[in-house]
């Protein structure tokens, strides 16, 4: 049984896109966490 490797080149982009998506997700996550931390600090400094 032969594997259909002739068309594997059409799917190689997946190996480049996955790491890029991981990096973008990490940037978005850290940005949101930083904004949340700043918002909590600003609320904590308000006099009650």
């Amino acid at each position: 049984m032969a594997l259909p490797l002739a068309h594997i080149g059409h799917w190689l982009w997946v190996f480049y896109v996955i790491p890029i998506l991981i990096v973008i997700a990490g940037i978005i996550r850290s940005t949101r966490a930083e904004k949340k931390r700043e918002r909590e600090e600003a609320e904590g400094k308000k006099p009650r």
Side-chain angles (χ1 to χ4, degrees):
M1 182 172 172
L3 295 174
L5 297 178
H7 299 283
I8 193 77
H10 299 291
W11 294 98
L12 288 178
W13 61 269
V14 172
F15 296 110
Y16 296 103
V17 171
I18 292 173
I20 292 170
L21 292 177
I22 291 171
V23 169
I24 291 172
I27 291 170
I28 291 171
R29 182 179 177 204
S30 64
T31 303
R32 291 180 71 189
E34 183 179 344
K35 287 183 180 181
K36 181 180 178 184
R37 191 177 317 117
E38 289 176 359
R39 186 170 54 243
E40 288 175 351
E41 288 177 358
E43 290 176 357
K45 292 182 181 178
K46 290 181 182 176
R48 293 184 179 186

